[in-house]
Amino acid sequence: MPTRILPAVGDADAVRSITTLLSQLPDAEPVAPVVDSTQLIDTLARLAAESVDELPEVVVVHERIGPVPALELIREVALRFPAVGVILVTSDASPGLFQAAMDYGARGLVALPLGYEELASRVQAVAQWSVGVRRHLGAGGDVFTGVGGTVVTVSGAKGGTGATLTAIQLALAAQASGRSTALVDMDLQTGDIASYLDVQFRRSVVDLAAINDISPRVLADAVFRHDTGLALLLAPAEGERGEDVTDRAARQIVSALRSRYEVVVIDTGAQLGGAGAAAVEMADRALLVTTPDVVAVRGAKRAVRMWDRLQIRKAEETTVVVNRHSRITEIQPPLIQRITGTAVAATAIPANFKELQSVVDAGRIHELENKSSVKQALWGLAAELGLVKAPDTAQKAHRFRGGDRGSVSFRRRREG
């Protein structure tokens, strides 16, 4: 059986060199190379969605791949696609880098300039390892094999636009539909999720920042299990400790959460630091919450342009959510879409703070009534984003008998 090899190389000259050499290896089947980290993850996710057997046995990652650094990319591939063996191609073959590459999940390292014998030996060994892992998976081994959970980031165009409320209700909707859901407070200095949900906690996201290998047990120790079933990973009580969460740590944390939960909702706040930027870059969906006023919309436009300049996220890959929407305001969603150059969610959140005031003041936002127009809109947004699992027939019958009035009205809107 031929060994499928996927090169991930950004440099055109290196692509030609690596693909030429790979094509000469016995029983090798090089596939079309990918040019950056985003394309690599998207390609592997698409193949894994079909079957683990569709994945290449070997991925060759060049040291100058971008925008995600090579070692961080290797860690994400190892966490999300454990049946794929990764080889790092680098000009630095020092013992220190070799150890770091192994710690991040690589199965081999090949030094530049490439030599046929060394490359052939590494590819053969890694391919054999990959085949062995797949044989184990086929026998029913308890190893995560999916493409990973859906990661959604929620950012504010400026402070006070409702990003935290949006993130909480999206997570609650996903959890209530039967999906295992983690809610992460990546607003590291001023995060309020704990206050909104009336939570007293000891551990936070900072406790994971210095850990190189986040095992399921380590992750479980850092997560707070809320009464609603949500897994909460909270911002530190001391805001200055947020500086310990680097972009590298954030990538590792998001990857670990993605491998354990079906849905991961991350509140990044309005001030985007390195950790929040890494989360937005890794997200499947990046939401930017704004209100329909001039200052907030200008803030949204400024954020979108900054994300594009820093190569965090393109405008067309960002979805703006309009909060506190009213038909009488001059600024409507189509105008916001033209100004920001982004997609705008079809579901707008109505302006009705009276519904929220009592539960916000009590720190019990999860007890917002089902009949609330704000809750219905936010749960409708969760469905629009694909975060809500469709109920089975028995659940539908129960709800239409009056078991969940909020869900009934929400479903009628979708089906109508």
Side-chain angles (χ1 to χ4, degrees):
M1 177 179 177
T3 299
R4 291 162 297 180
I5 309 170
L6 174 59
V9 188
D11 181 80
D13 293 334
V15 168
R16 287 192 292 271
S17 173
I18 290 175
T19 53
T20 299
L21 205 52
L22 289 175
S23 64
Q24 297 173 5
L25 300 181
D27 297 323
E29 185 181 308
V31 297
V34 295
V35 298
D36 58 36
S37 56
T38 301
Q39 189 179 3
L40 174 61
I41 296 300
D42 289 347
T43 299
L44 294 176
R46 175 176 51 79
L47 294 172
E50 299 176 15
S51 168
V52 174
D53 293 334
E54 295 299 319
L55 289 167
E57 285 78 19
V58 179
V59 169
V60 177
V61 175
H62 193 273
E63 62 180 355
R64 291 198 298 272
I65 195 72
V68 176
L71 289 179
E72 301 293 341
L73 178 61
I74 289 170
R75 182 188 294 281
E76 186 169 358
V77 171
L79 283 169
R80 294 181 61 180
F81 313 100
V84 174
V86 184
I87 296 173
L88 174 63
V89 175
T90 176
S91 56
D92 178 10
S94 65
L97 181 63
F98 179 84
Q99 185 60 52
M102 297 305 105
D103 290 343
Y104 275 76
R107 302 303 307 178
L109 184 148
V110 178
L112 290 169
L114 291 176
Y116 176 86
E117 295 296 336
E118 183 183 12
L119 182 61
S121 174
R122 283 292 87 212
V123 167
Q124 182 181 16
V126 173
Q128 289 176 350
W129 172 87
S130 176
V131 170
V133 169
R134 296 176 196 211
R135 187 179 300 117
H136 173 68
L137 295 177
D142 184 18
V143 179
F144 181 79
T145 62
V147 300
T150 299
V151 176
V152 178
T153 55
V154 185
S155 308
K158 68 177 188 64
T161 57
T164 299
L165 172 66
T166 300
I168 291 172
Q169 289 296 331
L170 290 178
L172 287 171
Q175 179 69 33
S177 76
R179 288 189 164 171
S180 60
T181 304
L183 175 60
V184 185
D185 199 340
M186 204 71 81
D187 187 359
L188 297 172
Q189 292 188 346
T190 59
D192 286 325
I193 286 179
S195 298
Y196 272 106
L197 295 176
D198 192 24
V199 168
Q200 301 295 323
F201 64 99
R202 292 183 300 108
R203 297 193 179 276
S204 72
V205 66
V206 174
D207 293 297
L208 298 176
I211 299 175
N212 289 326
D213 185 14
I214 302 178
S215 67
R217 176 170 294 182
V218 169
L219 186 62
D221 287 342
V223 163
F224 181 93
R225 183 65 62 177
H226 192 258
D227 293 342
T228 58
L230 286 177
L232 304 179
L233 187 56
L234 300 167
E238 304 83 11
E240 66 274 13
R241 295 191 64 201
E243 296 180 358
D244 296 339
V245 185
T246 63
D247 56 344
R248 170 182 169 182
R251 291 183 189 282
Q252 181 179 349
I253 291 166
V254 173
S255 294
L257 288 165
R258 189 199 294 268
S259 72
R260 303 299 299 178
Y261 297 93
E262 293 178 85
V263 176
V264 181
V265 181
I266 304 174
D267 176 9
T268 65
Q271 299 295 324
L272 205 64
V280 170
E281 183 183 335
M282 294 178 69
D284 299 292
R285 298 293 296 268
L287 307 183
L288 185 61
V289 182
T290 186
T291 48
D293 58 83
V294 171
V295 175
V297 174
R298 284 179 176 171
K301 182 179 181 180
R302 185 168 57 246
V304 168
R305 289 183 171 180
M306 179 181 68
W307 292 3
D308 188 58
R309 288 196 304 273
L310 297 178
Q311 297 184 343
I312 296 170
R313 199 99 186 170
K314 295 179 181 179
E316 57 268 25
E317 297 173 348
T318 302
T319 301
V320 167
V321 176
V322 182
N323 189 24
R324 300 178 200 144
H325 173 258
S326 171
R327 293 180 180 178
I328 64 174
T329 57
E330 292 186 11
I331 300 178
Q332 293 293 319
L335 177 59
I336 295 174
Q337 183 172 12
R338 289 198 298 273
I339 292 172
T340 60
T342 65
V344 172
T347 306
I349 317 305
N352 200 338
F353 184 73
K354 288 183 179 180
E355 295 179 353
L356 303 173
Q357 188 164 5
S358 61
V359 291
V360 169
D361 291 344
R364 308 285 292 178
I365 196 67
H366 52 289
E367 295 180 356
L368 184 61
E369 293 185 4
N370 287 328
K371 65 182 180 181
S372 161
S373 61
V374 174
K375 178 176 179 177
Q376 291 183 4
L378 285 167
W379 286 39
L381 176 62
E384 180 183 336
L385 298 172
L387 304 182
V388 176
K389 182 186 293 185
D392 59 27
T393 305
Q395 288 175 318
K396 287 184 178 182
H398 168 71
R399 290 178 177 173
F400 274 101
R401 286 195 299 268
D404 190 336
R405 288 174 294 171
S407 298
V408 169
S409 58
F410 153 63
R411 188 178 299 107
R412 283 174 179 165
R413 278 203 311 278
R414 289 183 65 198
E415 295 177 353

